[in-house]
Amino acid sequence: MNVKLVTQDYKTRVGQDNETLWEVGTTVKLPPSEKPLKLCTKTVLHYYQHPFLAVLMNRRHANIPNYRMLQVKVNSSKNKRITDGLKSGCTSLSVIKEITIPQYTLTQKVAFAILCSLCSNNSEAYTTWATSWLNGTDRSAKSATYAASATYAASATYATYAADAAADAAADAYATYAAADAAAADAYAINFLALVDKALKIA
């Protein structure tokens, strides 16, 4: 399901020259342009391909406080769409309806961070710890702290974030950073939607 986050009064880019109102039943379309599509620019309208990605990545992306979530339909042809796996962009979106914001557990967020980190080359020790965390064998803060220290020493940034998220039950922000750094390091190479499906099955 494609979704878009908006303010309480259904707007994005409030106060900017491209401030936009997103009302249910309307279509927002960018004017024709020869410029290549690029995320985080005015060449695209942004959306997420899954509610989980929207909830997790808002802090890192638009950082909309107290947001609403809209289900949207992508009208653009394939050559008028772009994604880095986390955030997506196109030139035309229709607002279908407002939906209730799903509530995800910290365990699911941390699982997603760890799954992202495993898409990179990691030490055998880290991979062993990550596997143990994911299957529920060892989720102790002590083991996670050790894994975070080891990966930090090895300069494995998003693996460190993933381990930090597991070590600190209040640090769901680390899950966001892990996913974002994974995208930056391995853009277009990671199937984040598949990882979301896996993460949401972990209790």
Side-chain angles (χ1 to χ4, degrees):
M1 177 194 302
N2 296 317
V3 300
K4 184 163 185 70
L5 301 184
V6 297
T7 62
Q8 284 295 304
D9 54 355
Y10 301 95
K11 293 180 180 179
T12 54
R13 304 292 294 172
V14 177
Q16 307 296 315
D17 61 359
N18 59 339
E19 178 179 308
T20 305
L21 178 63
W22 298 84
E23 295 181 305
V24 173
T26 65
T27 295
V28 177
K29 186 175 182 180
L30 293 177
S33 173
E34 296 301 319
K35 293 182 179 179
L37 301 185
K38 186 177 180 181
L39 294 173
C40 302
T41 71
K42 296 178 182 179
T43 63
V44 295
L45 301 168
H46 295 95
Y47 67 98
Y48 293 96
Q49 295 183 70
H50 195 288
F52 180 89
L53 294 177
V55 170
L56 188 69
M57 299 309 300
N58 175 56
R59 183 197 305 260
R60 183 75 175 229
H61 291 159
N63 197 24
I64 302 173
N66 193 26
Y67 55 80
R68 295 177 183 270
M69 184 177 287
L70 305 175
Q71 181 181 351
V72 293
K73 176 186 176 184
V74 178
N75 303 312
S76 308
S77 58
K78 288 185 177 181
N79 67 333
K80 290 295 182 180
R81 304 178 195 174
I82 188 172
T83 185
D84 64 4
L86 295 173
K87 179 192 289 183
S88 299
C90 66
T91 56
S92 178
L93 286 173
S94 293
V95 182
I96 307 302
K97 63 181 178 179
E98 182 171 358
I99 61 175
T100 301
I101 299 170
Q103 299 300 307
Y104 300 106
T105 67
L106 183 60
T107 296
Q108 292 169 328
K109 293 175 182 178
V110 173
F112 182 70
I114 293 172
L115 289 165
C116 287
S117 73
L118 288 174
C119 292
S120 177
N121 294 323
N122 293 297
S123 68
E124 183 177 347
Y126 178 81
T127 301
T128 298
W129 167 80
T131 302
S132 295
W133 195 98
L134 290 170
N135 65 28
T137 302
D138 183 2
R139 292 184 180 173
S140 68
K142 181 178 180 181
S143 295
T145 300
Y146 174 79
S149 298
T151 52
Y152 179 78
S155 298
T157 307
Y158 50 92
T160 304
Y161 283 142
D164 279 340
D168 185 349
D172 63 317
Y174 283 121
T176 299
Y177 300 147
D181 284 357
D186 298 299
Y188 308 102
I190 299 175
N191 185 341
F192 288 102
L193 291 177
L195 298 187
V196 168
D197 288 339
K198 289 183 180 179
L200 295 183
K201 294 175 182 177
I202 295 176

